[in-house]
C-alpha cells in the first residue's frame, strides 16, 4: 500500500497538469493561427503593393521589393519594405523551397528610420530552378502578428 500511495499522488498531479497544458495549447493555437495575406505579384519583376489589415477605416499599404533582380542562389538578396502609417514593432522573413526542403532560412528585418530591410541568401537547388515561398511576418505595436506570403523563382 505504501508503494501505491506515491504513484497515485503523482498521477493525481500529472494527469490534471497534462490535461491543462493540452487545453491551453488548443486555445492558444486558435489565436496564433492566421490565414496569410497572399499576393501573386512577382518581386523578381516589380515592387509589390499589398493591402494590409487595418483596425481603423483607412487601409495601409505595404510596398515590398527585392534586390538584386532576378534572385539567384548564393547571391546576397536584400528584401525591403515600407508601410503607410504606424510602423510595426518587428518583422522577419522566412524563406522555404516549394518543391524540396532547402533548410532553415529566417532573417530579421530591421527598421532604419525610413524603411525595413534584411539581407539573406538562397541555398543552391539541385534541380536548377526553384520556386521559393517567402513569408514576411509582421508584428504590430499591439502585439498582433500576421503573415504575408509571396512567391518568386530563383536559379
Amino acid at each position: 500500500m505504501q508503494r501505491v500511495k506515491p504513484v497515485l499522488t503523482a498521477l493525481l498531479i500529472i494527469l490534471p497538469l497534462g490535461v491543462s497544458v493540452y487545453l491551453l495549447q488548443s486555445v492558444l493555437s486558435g489565436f496564433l493561427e492566421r490565414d496569410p495575406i497572399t499576393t501573386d505579384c512577382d518581386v523578381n519583376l516589380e515592387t509589390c503593393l499589398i493591402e494590409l489589415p487595418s483596425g481603423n477605416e483607412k487601409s495601409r499599404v505595404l510596398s515590398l521589393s527585392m534586390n538584386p533582380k532576378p534572385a539567384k542562389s548564393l547571391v546576397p538578396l536584400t528584401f525591403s519594405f515600407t508601410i503607410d502609417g504606424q510602423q510595426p514593432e518587428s518583422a522577419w522573413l522566412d524563406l522555404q523551397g516549394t518543391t524540396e526542403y532547402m533548410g532553415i532560412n529566417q532573417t530579421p528585418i530591421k527598421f532604419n528610420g525610413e524603411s525595413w530591410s534584411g539581407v539573406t541568401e538562397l541555398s543552391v537547388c539541385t534541380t536548377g530552378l526553384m520556386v521559393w515561398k517567402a513569408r514576411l511576418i509582421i508584428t504590430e505595436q499591439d502585439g498582433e502578428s500576421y503573415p504575408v506570403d509571396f512567391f518568386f523563382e530563383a536559379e
Side-chain angles (χ1 to χ4, degrees):
M1 183 70 177
Q2 287 185 337
R3 289 185 181 182
V4 172
K5 194 172 185 178
V7 171
L8 187 58
T9 303
L11 282 174
L12 289 174
I13 292 171
I14 293 172
L15 188 60
L17 183 61
V19 169
S20 298
V21 168
Y22 174 77
L23 292 174
L24 182 61
Q25 178 270 333
S26 336
V27 168
L28 288 178
S29 69
F31 290 114
L32 298 176
E33 293 176 7
R34 303 252 190 259
D35 289 332
I37 299 165
T38 58
T39 180
D40 55 2
C41 176
D42 187 348
V43 292
N44 266 325
L45 301 175
E46 61 186 322
T47 297
C48 297
L49 300 177
I50 304 158
E51 190 170 327
L52 299 177
S54 179
N56 57 26
E57 294 176 16
K58 184 179 178 190
S59 64
R60 295 169 40 202
V61 175
L62 173 125
S63 175
L64 175 73
S65 63
M66 174 186 71
N67 285 303
K69 297 173 186 173
K72 292 187 188 294
S73 299
L74 302 178
V75 174
L77 284 173
T78 301
F79 287 89
S80 303
F81 74 87
T82 59
I83 294 181
D84 296 344
Q86 183 179 5
Q87 296 303 305
E89 182 172 313
S90 64
W92 59 277
L93 184 70
D94 180 36
L95 295 170
Q96 298 292 321
T98 59
T99 56
E100 65 180 287
Y101 178 70
M102 300 300 289
I104 297 172
N105 189 339
Q106 297 177 339
T107 304
I109 308 294
K110 302 290 183 189
F111 187 61
N112 67 15
E114 294 180 13
S115 65
W116 295 79
S117 65
V119 179
T120 189
E121 205 171 272
L122 302 176
S123 53
V124 176
C125 175
T126 58
T127 61
L129 183 67
M130 168 69 71
V131 175
W132 289 85
K133 175 178 130 181
R135 175 166 280 181
L136 179 63
I137 306 292
I138 297 173
T139 302
E140 297 290 1
Q141 296 291 334
D142 63 2
E144 287 289 318
S145 292
Y146 50 89
V148 178
D149 287 354
F150 56 98
F151 298 85
F152 63 94
E153 289 183 339
E155 289 186 48

